[in-house]
Amino acid sequence: MSTSLLYHGWGLKGYRYVRSHYGGGKLIFTVQPQPRSLTCPVCHGRDILQHGNIHRMWRDVSIGSKPIFIQMGIPRIECREC
Ligand SMILES: [Zn+2]
């Protein structure tokens, strides 16, 4: 697994592969947004402050018979522009 596979395989742009682990019959990929890709979701401004993360995990398309989950800390941001 690599950051390149995230982009070319799953279309996840602006995220970095961190690690993968197996457990309970499933494969979990941990990814995180690349800091330079963070922008305000409303105005797309880059003058933001980050206030921690909210951890989320969602299911993705299986690889063979293995269920795949992607885990990420969703950044909480405050925009200084809007
Ligand atoms: Zn904004």
Side-chain angles (χ1 to χ4, degrees), residues 18-77:
V18 177
R19 68 185 182 115
S20 58
H21 63 278
Y22 308 89
K26 59 188 174 188
L27 177 57
I28 301 171
F29 293 113
T30 302
V31 301
Q32 68 180 188
Q34 295 177 349
R36 66 179 181 273
S37 70
L38 291 179
T39 61
C40 172
V42 176
C43 72
H44 304 288
R46 293 189 178 273
D47 189 9
I48 58 172
L49 294 173
Q50 187 171 351
H51 298 287
N53 297 300
I54 299 172
H55 293 279
R56 299 281 164 88
M57 183 163 55
W58 64 92
R59 182 163 180 171
D60 201 30
V61 178
S62 298
I63 296 176
S65 61
K66 295 288 183 197
I68 303 298
F69 289 84
I70 296 178
Q71 169 175 284
M72 184 171 83
I74 308 289
R76 297 181 63 232
I77 62 167

Side-chain angles (χ1 to χ4, degrees), residues 10 12 27 31 64 78:
W10 289 328
L12 291 175
L27 177 57
V31 301
E78 174 186 343

